[in-house]
Amino acid sequence: MIPGRVRDILNPALALYLLVTGAAAIVVPVPDTPTVFALLALALLNHHGLNRPAWIIGGLVLGLFLWGWAGGWIVATGGLGRMTFLAAFLVALGLLSRAASRAPDIRKAAAVVANRPRGARYLFVTLGTHIFGIFLNFGAASLMATLLAQTRETLEKQNAVEDLTLSMLRGFGAMPMWSPLALSTIITLSILPEVDYFQILPYGLVAALLYLGAGYLVSRGPRTTPPSDQPTLARAMPPLPDQMILLRVGARVALLVAVAFGLHMAADLSMPASVLLAVLGFSLAWWTIQVAARLAPGLHRELGATAQSGVNEIVIVSCAGFLGAVIAWFVSSFDGALPTPPDALVPALIALVPVGMVLGGLMALNPIVSASILLGVLHPLVPEPALMWLALAAIIGWGLTAASTPFTANVLITTRIMQLETAPLLRRGNLKLTVLTLAALGLFLATATVISLQG
């Protein structure tokens, strides 16, 4: 049994080490090996916060690390550097999420979205969850679901509980399809450094819009709302003070994304590195403002709470990144001994990536792990002109998995708060949408890959 005082001292120290090491590694070489032991200490210190997948992938990665360390090949894989970066990113993202969750205007904005009139509420809840997900990650699902659950009796009378739950899932699921802050983007681009974020951004945005639009049409179905229940534009839109709150939240998201883009273009940093620095700077600035307003604890407590509450995600994401790098290194180390897939097969392989991720999600395989494994295997085998489409397949497949499989965190959180059974809800509400989306996406990816390889 670890005394609480020891945990209160070590958690902030470990979080600070991971954060500083990962940020410093962007500009100067730093030793990566201590990161493994820092993560191991963090996991053991907060072992009650780890679920089974974290124990499994953590044990697997520890075994690979010890084998590679003893064999002298671990540095060549690049896995330690990726683990260091991802651990720092998860700590920075945790700081951002905690700052956003304390901000009064974020909660007010969520309440405004949740209280829109019937008919307009689906779209407001979808877009609200989508935007809040950029700041709050899984916390967006918890915040929106908690607010909506307070009016559950009214929603049941309107037969709107399932539709609004699906709107939250789809709104959150569309976020990983394009957001530079999403884990889907960070992990994919760290595994595929040849791909530039701006190559896939337009396609990701279009995919997110089409997915959200298709979800709205599926939920709307053939039903027609009585004219008296259809909100006019004046009724649907919140009053001016509430609109200003929504605009302030949107401006913060835009500012954070703009800072990341600016660092990427002005400082010639990779997009993942730019996002890490932007999130870190934004989080610390927001925390400083909240400390001045007496809304936030000191940095020691903030780091400790971030490490303790986010240990499960820190372990899974960091280890998945390491695992992807090691798999890619093993595949490429055969140096021609493995048969290279013919160009005719590459489009099919890329088109099946989202299908594999969704099927993995149905078997409780986290998209962090499935994406890392699939990209690690395919990266050395796919010709460079087609890597862009491989990256796009992974980030869109990630979003579909997050919205349509019963074991992802946002689905479990949302359905628990809304008091719905997860699997039946997804079968009734998202199965048709997911199948049609996978078919259309696969056709597009295969066609785009063929064109790229011929060019």
Side-chain angles (χ1 to χ4, degrees):
M1 187 69 180
I2 301 173
R5 183 172 178 81
V6 174
R7 188 180 290 108
D8 291 342
I9 294 173
L10 292 182
N11 269 335
L14 292 170
L16 182 62
Y17 174 80
L18 293 174
L19 194 61
V20 171
T21 302
I26 295 174
V27 292
V28 295
V30 297
D32 295 320
T33 302
T35 300
V36 179
F37 298 103
L39 281 172
L40 179 61
L42 188 67
L44 294 177
L45 200 61
N46 304 279
H47 61 277
H48 294 300
L50 299 179
N51 60 17
R52 183 179 297 179
W55 282 109
I56 292 173
I57 192 172
L60 176 61
V61 165
L62 182 60
L64 283 173
F65 167 74
L66 294 175
W67 178 24
W69 197 21
W73 50 263
I74 195 66
V75 175
T77 66
L80 294 178
R82 189 174 299 170
M83 176 183 281
T84 299
F85 171 82
L86 290 173
F89 180 74
L90 263 292
V91 175
L93 204 60
L95 292 174
L96 178 66
S97 179
R98 287 181 57 81
S101 67
R102 284 190 299 261
D105 53 352
I106 296 288
R107 292 191 171 275
K108 289 178 183 177
V112 169
V113 167
N115 291 324
R116 291 302 86 217
R118 182 182 182 185
R121 191 166 44 209
Y122 179 97
L123 289 175
F124 272 88
V125 169
T126 301
L127 295 176
T129 308
H130 185 80
I131 294 173
F132 295 143
I134 297 173
F135 273 145
L136 297 171
N137 205 347
F138 302 130
S142 177
L143 176 61
M144 289 302 304
T146 300
L147 291 170
L148 288 170
Q150 294 173 3
T151 61
R152 181 179 173 82
E153 290 185 5
T154 302
L155 297 179
E156 284 180 340
K157 293 177 182 178
Q158 298 173 350
N159 196 27
V161 176
E162 287 197 3
D163 277 354
L164 291 178
T165 303
L166 291 169
S167 75
M168 288 184 279
L169 299 182
R170 293 164 184 164
F172 184 88
M175 185 270 292
M177 297 181 184
W178 72 270
S179 172
L181 276 66
L183 288 175
S184 57
T185 304
I186 298 300
I187 289 182
T188 298
L189 296 185
S190 66
I191 297 176
L192 305 177
E194 301 90 341
V195 179
D196 186 79
Y197 172 72
F198 291 104
Q199 289 180 285
I200 58 176
L201 175 59
Y203 299 99
L205 282 171
V206 171
L209 289 173
L210 290 176
Y211 180 70
L212 293 178
Y216 174 70
L217 293 176
V218 168
S219 286
R220 186 180 181 187
R223 298 166 299 175
T224 57
T225 306
S228 60
D229 286 348
Q230 288 189 5
T232 63
L233 182 60
R235 279 186 60 213
M237 292 300 294
L240 184 59
D242 290 345
Q243 291 182 35
M244 297 306 298
I245 292 174
L246 296 177
L247 285 174
R248 284 203 300 271
V249 173
R252 286 180 180 175
V253 174
L255 176 61
L256 179 55
V257 173
V259 171
F261 286 175
L263 287 171
H264 176 61
M265 293 183 289
D268 197 26
L269 297 173
S270 68
M271 182 53 73
S274 301
V275 170
L276 170 58
L277 294 179
V279 169
L280 178 57
F282 202 92
S283 303
L284 293 177
W286 207 348
W287 168 80
T288 302
I289 293 171
Q290 291 178 341
V291 166
R294 297 184 179 180
L295 295 174
L299 186 59
H300 180 269
R301 289 186 177 180
E302 186 78 341
L303 286 169
T306 299
Q308 186 170 355
S309 63
V311 62
N312 195 68
E313 288 73 28
I314 293 171
V315 169
I316 290 178
V317 172
S318 303
C319 290
F322 174 88
L323 189 60
V326 171
I327 290 173
W329 179 80
F330 268 119
V331 173
S332 62
S333 67
F334 284 97
D335 196 20
L338 289 178
T340 302
D343 285 353
L345 186 59
V346 171
L349 291 174
I350 292 177
L352 288 173
V353 166
V355 178
M357 294 181 68
V358 171
L359 291 177
L362 293 173
M363 295 182 287
L365 189 63
N366 193 294
I368 297 168
V369 179
S370 60
S372 298
I373 293 174
L374 289 170
L375 293 177
V377 171
L378 293 176
H379 181 202
L381 303 178
V382 171
E384 187 166 339
L387 288 178
M388 168 184 163
W389 306 115
L390 178 60
L392 189 66
I395 66 168
I396 298 179
W398 194 306
L400 291 175
T401 305
S404 60
T405 57
F407 301 104
T408 53
N410 61 295
V411 171
L412 292 172
I413 291 170
T414 305
T415 53
R416 174 178 54 80
I417 296 175
M418 297 300 288
Q419 300 176 36
L420 293 171
E421 293 186 30
T422 303
L425 171 71
L426 294 177
R427 280 197 301 270
R428 288 192 301 267
N430 263 0
L431 179 59
K432 183 189 299 184
L433 176 62
T434 302
V435 171
L436 292 175
T437 304
L438 286 173
L441 177 61
L443 181 61
F444 171 78
L445 290 171
T447 303
T449 303
V450 169
I451 295 172
S452 296
L453 293 176
Q454 289 178 347

